[in-house]
Amino acid sequence: MANIKTNAMRILEQMKIEYNGITYNSNDGKIDGVSVSEKIGKDPKFVYKTLVVQGHSNTIYVFLLPVKEELDLKKAAKAAGEKSVEMIHVKDLLKFTGYIRGGCSPIGMKRDYKTFIDISALEIDKIIVSGGKIGVQIEMETSKLIQVCHGEIVDLTIKK
């Protein structure tokens, strides 16, 4: 797994943005965010999942939130200016993003989709997101991720 270069990493390098590539073993099939945070030894509050939704208008949007949290679809729709949004089917992920489940990075998707990042990201200096391949994560300055993704900071999670 050493020296893996994903498209997301190449984009960061082209933009001269520092990042730390982190690899983990995915042979056990546990590729959900909480399992990944455990495997890489990082607090789940620093590890963000990338969720892709389709709005009522058929527009695609990207949402980033901590792996332990759940996306509030009403808040997501409001942020996107849509009547409603729903998660796209896993089978459609590759078609829209160029990535597969468990390896969906917010960096380097097929298109530049409007991206929303949960407000909790403002509380952390470094954020960890998928590197664009199962078994690969990227850790980088939160402010740089916001910049790269043209991310809009909003409250996205269901309050427990």
Side-chain angles (χ1 to χ4, degrees):
M1 278 250 232
N3 300 330
I4 288 176
K5 274 280 190 278
T6 65
N7 194 37
M9 292 171 171
R10 284 190 273 280
I11 289 168
L12 292 175
E13 288 170 7
Q14 285 170 356
M15 297 176 82
K16 304 207 180 325
I17 293 175
E18 285 184 32
Y19 69 89
N20 179 28
I22 304 169
T23 59
Y24 64 92
N25 187 323
S26 60
N27 292 343
D28 61 4
K30 293 182 179 174
I31 56 171
D32 63 279
V34 175
S35 294
V36 169
S37 71
E38 289 169 4
K39 288 179 180 189
I40 64 174
K42 298 286 186 175
D43 186 316
K45 77 176 186 182
F46 298 109
V47 183
Y48 279 56
K49 57 188 169 186
T50 305
L51 301 177
V52 183
V53 306
Q54 191 163 26
H56 186 72
S57 68
N58 287 331
T59 304
I60 300 294
Y61 302 96
V62 176
F63 292 90
L64 299 175
L65 57 151
V67 294
K68 277 192 164 178
E69 301 300 323
E70 201 176 326
L71 180 63
D72 184 322
L73 293 173
K74 284 187 173 63
K75 289 179 182 178
K78 185 176 179 200
E82 291 275 1
K83 189 162 75 175
S84 63
V85 297
E86 61 182 47
M87 298 292 296
I88 65 166
H89 292 285
V90 173
K91 66 176 176 52
D92 293 331
L93 198 58
L94 183 63
K95 174 176 76 176
F96 287 120
T97 67
Y99 292 123
I100 60 170
R101 180 185 167 271
C104 188
S105 179
I107 304 163
M109 289 189 178
K110 281 184 172 180
R111 292 204 179 126
D112 281 335
Y113 296 116
K114 184 110 176 93
T115 300
F116 300 91
I117 303 170
D118 187 63
I119 195 164
S120 60
L122 296 178
E123 299 166 15
I124 58 176
D125 293 332
K126 291 205 169 183
I127 191 168
I128 301 166
V129 296
S130 173
K133 182 177 168 93
I134 292 173
V136 181
Q137 296 289 108
I138 292 175
E139 180 179 41
M140 61 189 294
E141 286 181 33
T142 304
S143 61
K144 298 290 187 193
L145 180 73
I146 294 168
Q147 175 191 334
V148 171
C149 295
H150 309 290
E152 191 176 312
I153 302 294
V154 287
D155 178 15
L156 295 172
T157 59
I158 292 174
K159 297 301 169 221
K160 294 172 181 148

